Amino acid sequence: MKIVAKKKLWKYLFWLGPFLITVGLTVGLVSQQWGLIPLAFLIAGIVISGLGIIWQSYQSNWWRRRSTQAGTNALVATLAVLAILGLINFLGTRYHLRADLTETQLFTLAPQSQELVRVLPQPVKVWVFDINQNPQDRELLENYQRQSSKFKYEYIDPQARPGLAEKFGVKDYGEVYLESGDKRQLVQTVNENERLSEVRLTSRLQQLTNSTTAKVYLLQGHGERQLSPGKGAISQAIQGLGDKNFTTSPLNLGETSKVPQDAAVVIVAGPKRGLFEGEVKALQEYLNRGGNLLLMIDPNTDPKVDSLLQEWGVRLDNRLAVDVSGESVVGLGPATPLVTEYGQHPITKDFRNGNSFYPIARPLEISSVPGVEATPLLRTKPYPKSWAESDLQSEKLEFNADKDLKGPLTLGVALTRKAAKSASTPQAAPTPSPLPSPTTQSKASPTPTASPAPLAPTPSPAPSSQTATESRLVVLGNSNFATDGLFQQQLNGDVFLNSVTWLSQQEKQPLSIRPKEPKNRRITLTTTQANLLILSSLLVLPLIGFAIAVIIWWKRR
């Protein structure tokens, strides 16, 4: 009798384990604090329940039963599934993993935007003064917010909070403002036809967080591209520079005879007439003291900068770049090279195989110069898709082995050189080996072939000098690509803005980002094609199916 009573006592004692577990869970859930008391109850209950299970199995060989083992396996499997689900839920709340399967990555921020938001020096907030919360705009703002905890956004009803709307100077629904500290800036106004733009938001964010501005001068006086809106102007490119926190001013070296000291970049955009010798010398001195120059030179022009380019190992080819690859694909003429191959350089690092095109362009020839590092940026297709045409008057462009140059052709190059920091004692530029003229080259080789520089940088040993700084030069054989209308097409604007950004030597400033647009996959049918499609789907296909069914029935009959 004593043994039976002792067994019952142990049995009731082990029921204390589930009771203590219940008490611990109740205390923790009610107080929402998992401190020492609830943990003590839980641990004690788990220990007692475990000892009870072990003792029970020892007394009755409970563990050896087949039903016990099957039930235990099911219990362990259930607990494992619950643990996995709990772990997935925990990781899902802490970390965000998204896959953008669209071809142009429509729902993913550009690398430049991600980099800018991740290194925000101080918190910023986007205020959207609108009643309607467009899902597309919210998705874009959430993408920004995922990059950094310093980025916040909020939708505000101007009627519900008139004081805040007055503080920002809101005049209409849909206005989007960016705020950082005591700085506020209007980003844009959104409506049904215009959604929030990543390009504009990143540009305004960059302006708000970057206190430094770079001065860009554009050379004038030689028939260069007009800066204000007009035919063949580059006003959109100027606006793009302003969005990236650059300040622009015209520069007439015939009046000043020297590049201003505050010039971060000097741009020579499509001059039609030659520069004076003093102007070329002023640009050379500017480069020698660590300046940065962008030359965009069109065919059939002679800007008289050969002496400057020779110091860097660049020669302007007087022939016309012809590319027939874009005729059947995008409708471009043979005199508009379509470029999809870019050099390994910060200017073009995110271009991949994107398109950019250059109406009426001239090739460049690159030669090695000590102290100069050259990286070709833009490369046309190999021959027979492209070549350099010497007969510019012919209405029919055909390759002539005696005069023309086989592709691929280099249309743009980026160069760097160590230069003396002092402007009074400019570094003597090394003199390269003489470059052959186009006429000499055609006579020396009856079937000229292209031998462009490799796409990877080709550095040469830099000469030793005093306290040295780096000067940079970008040469493009075309300026049409940056004119109004063409600037916003494909990667054209990115080539220009990225070149200026790299030249400005603002390494922390992100390069240009391009708007993402879904590709048009719609099929355009003529009336005849549409009628044929209707007839085939409503009559021909059903008749074919009926005929097959009749044949199968006849064979099985």
Side-chain angles (χ1 to χ4, degrees), residues 127-130 156 158 165 168-177 186-191:
W127 300 86
V128 185
F129 291 91
D130 201 357
I156 299 296
F168 280 85
V170 178
K171 299 178 180 179
D172 198 3
Y173 283 100
E175 292 187 1
V176 181
Y177 285 85
L186 176 66
V187 177
Q188 69 176 105
T189 301
V190 296
N191 50 52

Side-chain angles (χ1 to χ4, degrees), residues 21-35 37-39 41-42:
I21 294 175
T22 304
V23 172
L25 291 174
T26 303
V27 173
L29 293 174
V30 172
S31 64
Q32 295 184 353
Q33 294 182 356
W34 298 93
I37 295 178
L39 289 178
F41 279 114
L42 286 173

Side-chain angles (χ1 to χ4, degrees), residues 509-524:
Q509 184 176 4
L511 299 176
S512 172
I513 59 175
R514 55 191 178 275
K516 302 170 184 177
E517 299 178 356
K519 288 195 174 182
N520 187 2
R521 299 296 186 186
R522 291 175 294 183
I523 300 176
T524 303

Side-chain angles (χ1 to χ4, degrees), residues 249-451:
S249 297
L251 173 64
N252 193 325
L253 287 176
E255 298 175 353
T256 61
S257 72
K258 187 177 181 181
V259 177
Q261 291 291 336
D262 63 345
V265 182
V266 174
I267 300 176
V268 182
K272 293 182 174 62
R273 297 181 294 274
L275 279 65
F276 293 116
E277 184 178 350
E279 294 177 306
V280 177
K281 185 176 293 186
L283 292 176
Q284 289 174 314
E285 292 176 353
Y286 170 66
L287 288 171
N288 289 337
R289 70 173 190 254
N292 309 284
L293 180 63
L294 171 59
L295 292 176
M296 300 190 295
I297 311 298
D298 296 313
N300 293 324
T301 60
D302 184 10
K304 306 296 184 183
V305 293
D306 293 342
S307 59
L308 184 152
L309 293 176
Q310 190 178 25
E311 296 178 358
W312 294 75
V314 179
R315 190 177 73 84
L316 300 173
D317 196 314
N318 293 323
R319 289 169 285 200
L320 177 69
V322 174
D323 183 1
V324 298
S325 63
E327 289 185 275
S328 59
V329 181
V330 291
L332 298 176
T336 303
L338 177 68
V339 173
T340 58
E341 184 178 353
Y342 305 93
Q344 298 297 321
H345 193 273
I347 294 177
T348 55
K349 67 177 182 179
D350 294 321
F351 286 5
R352 298 175 184 172
N353 294 323
N355 297 321
S356 61
F357 54 95
Y358 306 87
I360 315 299
R362 70 192 309 166
L364 308 175
E365 292 187 10
I366 317 299
S367 60
S368 178
V369 172
V372 174
E373 180 179 330
T375 305
L377 298 176
L378 312 172
R379 182 68 59 80
T380 65
K381 307 289 190 304
Y383 179 81
K385 293 293 185 181
S386 73
W387 68 88
E389 175 66 44
S390 58
D391 188 0
L392 306 184
Q393 305 301 324
S394 175
E395 296 182 359
K396 188 176 183 181
L397 299 176
E398 294 180 343
F399 179 75
N400 188 327
D402 295 332
K403 300 179 181 179
D404 299 339
L405 181 68
K406 292 182 178 180
L409 308 172
T410 299
L411 302 183
V413 62
L415 308 104
T416 59
R417 185 181 71 185
K418 297 297 181 181
K421 192 172 184 180
S422 173
S424 59
T425 57
Q427 180 188 16
T431 303
S433 56
L435 294 170
S437 64
T439 307
T440 305
Q441 183 186 25
S442 62
K443 291 180 179 179
S445 177
T447 56
T449 57
S451 56

Side-chain angles (χ1 to χ4, degrees), residues 219-241:
L219 191 66
Q220 297 289 286
H222 316 88
E224 288 87 356
R225 296 289 177 179
Q226 183 179 322
L227 306 185
S228 57
K231 184 178 180 180
I234 56 172
S235 62
Q236 292 178 343
I238 300 300
Q239 179 62 43
L241 292 176

Side-chain angles (χ1 to χ4, degrees), residues 447-520:
T447 56
T449 57
S451 56
L455 287 182
T458 56
S460 302
S464 59
S465 61
Q466 305 98 341
T467 304
T469 183
E470 186 177 74
S471 56
R472 296 180 176 182
L473 173 66
V474 172
V475 184
L476 304 175
N478 179 260
S479 67
N480 284 311
F481 78 98
T483 57
D484 294 352
L486 299 180
F487 177 80
Q488 296 178 335
Q489 300 296 322
Q490 302 296 326
L491 296 177
N492 286 15
D494 296 325
V495 173
F496 177 84
L497 294 177
N498 285 6
S499 297
V500 177
T501 302
W502 177 75
L503 286 170
S504 68
Q505 303 195 32
Q506 299 184 74
E507 305 299 344
K508 294 183 179 180
Q509 184 176 4
L511 299 176
S512 172
I513 59 175
R514 55 191 178 275
K516 302 170 184 177
E517 299 178 356
K519 288 195 174 182
N520 187 2

